[in-house]
Amino acid sequence: MSTTKNKSGTSKGKRSRLYWAVPAALVAMVLVVLLAKWLTGTPAVQSFMADYPGHSELPAGAPVGFPAWLAWQHFLNAFFLLLIIRTGWQVRTTTRPGGYWTRNNKGLIRTKTAPTKISLELWFHLTLDALWILNGLIFAVLLFATGQWMRIVPTSWDVFPNAASALLQYASLNWPTDNGWVNYNALQLLTYFVTVFIAAPLAFITGLRMSNAWPKKAAALNKAYPIEAARAVHFPVMIYFVAFIVVHVFLVLATGALRNLNHMYGGSDDVSWVGFWIFAASVAVMVGAWFLARPLFLRPIASLMGKVTSR
């Protein structure tokens, strides 16, 4: 009886905290907007924003627009990342796995020790990780081969005051007027840089440390890079990606949806419905994959790479 009461009390406590968290967040957002509006109305900040309008100049020879390969990379990165977040949460919270998978030790990968049996959810998560990393390597090669890196890598120190200026403009709801087809604002540039070159590698190296691929008997290496440190970073990185996706999608839709979607999916600077319909089709594919990522459909695929069991 006491256990039931404790669980009930805990549940009510969580609901109560959530009940107050929503209005508290709304009040905080209103205060941030009012503070930003006050700041942007002061002479000193107005002078600062005149000197730093919110974007840095790109290096000479920087490409204009988005090539077709970038649209495919954008879709694949979003597709894999969405499912990685889903399966990562499942690995973290599932108490009864939908099945278990054991690698076939007679295939391309052979080890002296017997393969470790893992949950079907973890197998799918690791498989998606491998595909995402492969796609990321292709993305990085193309990024530097075509010069597109100049659009998301800081090349001058004034990117930081310009990013602060852009942040003030967003916070005051007087959003920066820029043309992403030619140049991102400085806050976008820094965010994309952090996402591609910091958050993604952190997700990889922490996930690798937590996986079965990491050498268990390397005492010195494990002491230098303890698994607890990897766990402490891996989950916050996932939260960062979730926040990035939410804010990114919101701003794409709120700052000129047709033009922004045409930039990334339609391959042009026109205001037309081409990019929107391609985007809608890509969302349909991701939604379908989200609902098909169930043990019923995963077992036949996993069995091609190893042995699938119910226990």
Side-chain angles (χ1 to χ4, degrees):
M1 182 66 71
S2 61
T3 302
T4 303
K5 288 182 179 179
N6 289 338
K7 288 182 178 179
S8 177
T10 302
S11 178
K12 288 180 180 178
K14 288 182 179 179
R15 285 198 296 269
S16 177
R17 287 194 295 270
L18 181 62
Y19 178 81
W20 287 107
V22 174
L26 291 175
V27 170
M29 291 171 64
V30 171
L31 292 176
V32 167
V33 171
L34 292 175
L35 177 62
K37 282 188 174 293
W38 174 76
L39 284 172
T40 54
T42 61
V45 174
Q46 288 180 344
S47 176
F48 169 79
M49 293 174 66
D51 293 335
Y52 300 100
H55 65 272
S56 299
E57 294 298 323
L58 292 177
V64 174
F66 303 97
W69 66 262
L70 195 56
W72 281 103
Q73 285 292 313
H74 186 269
F75 164 71
L76 289 173
N77 273 312
F79 178 82
F80 291 134
L81 189 56
L82 179 70
L83 293 178
I84 285 170
I85 291 171
R86 181 184 189 273
T87 55
W89 184 253
Q90 286 179 321
V91 169
R92 188 179 178 89
T93 59
T94 298
T95 55
R96 290 187 177 180
Y100 294 89
W101 178 83
T102 306
R103 176 175 55 81
N104 177 14
N105 206 26
K106 296 180 181 179
L108 294 175
I109 301 176
R110 300 185 184 185
T111 56
K112 294 181 180 179
T113 56
T116 304
K117 181 168 65 176
I118 60 177
S119 69
L120 197 61
E121 289 79 8
L122 180 56
W123 164 81
F124 192 38
H125 184 70
L126 295 175
T127 301
L128 290 166
D129 285 343
L131 293 173
W132 183 54
I133 292 165
L134 176 61
N135 187 68
L137 291 173
I138 295 172
F139 171 75
V141 170
L142 291 172
L143 197 69
F144 285 97
T146 61
Q148 286 287 332
W149 66 270
M150 287 183 273
R151 294 169 57 90
I152 64 170
V153 175
T155 55
S156 63
W157 288 106
D158 72 351
V159 68
F160 296 104
N162 273 302
S165 175
L167 180 61
L168 281 170
Q169 293 173 60
Y170 279 120
S172 64
L173 302 183
N174 295 317
W175 291 350
T177 54
D178 47 51
N179 183 2
W181 184 255
V182 177
N183 189 7
Y184 293 127
N185 69 55
L187 189 60
Q188 286 177 303
L189 187 153
L190 286 178
T191 303
Y192 295 149
F193 174 79
V194 168
T195 302
V196 174
F197 296 105
I198 297 179
L202 275 177
F204 168 63
I205 61 176
T206 55
L208 179 64
R209 177 63 182 89
M210 295 160 58
S211 74
N212 293 325
W214 188 266
K216 301 296 188 295
K217 297 181 180 180
L221 185 60
N222 291 335
K223 184 178 180 181
Y225 184 18
I227 193 170
E228 292 78 13
R231 286 173 178 160
V233 173
H234 196 71
F235 185 70
V237 169
M238 187 198 79
I239 298 299
Y240 168 82
F241 276 120
V242 172
F244 171 80
I245 291 170
V246 171
V247 175
H248 178 62
V249 172
F250 170 75
L251 290 177
V252 165
L253 298 179
T255 59
L258 290 182
R259 189 180 187 188
N260 289 334
L261 292 174
N262 225 30
H263 284 177
M264 185 49 63
Y265 293 95
S268 72
D269 195 26
D270 300 332
V271 179
S272 69
W273 288 87
V274 174
F276 170 82
W277 291 118
I278 299 175
F279 166 73
S282 73
V283 170
V285 171
M286 287 188 277
V287 170
W290 180 282
F291 286 102
L292 289 174
R294 301 170 184 272
L296 176 64
F297 301 101
L298 294 178
R299 287 192 192 101
I301 301 173
S303 63
L304 298 174
M305 309 175 193
K307 183 181 179 180
V308 177
T309 58
S310 57
R311 294 182 182 180

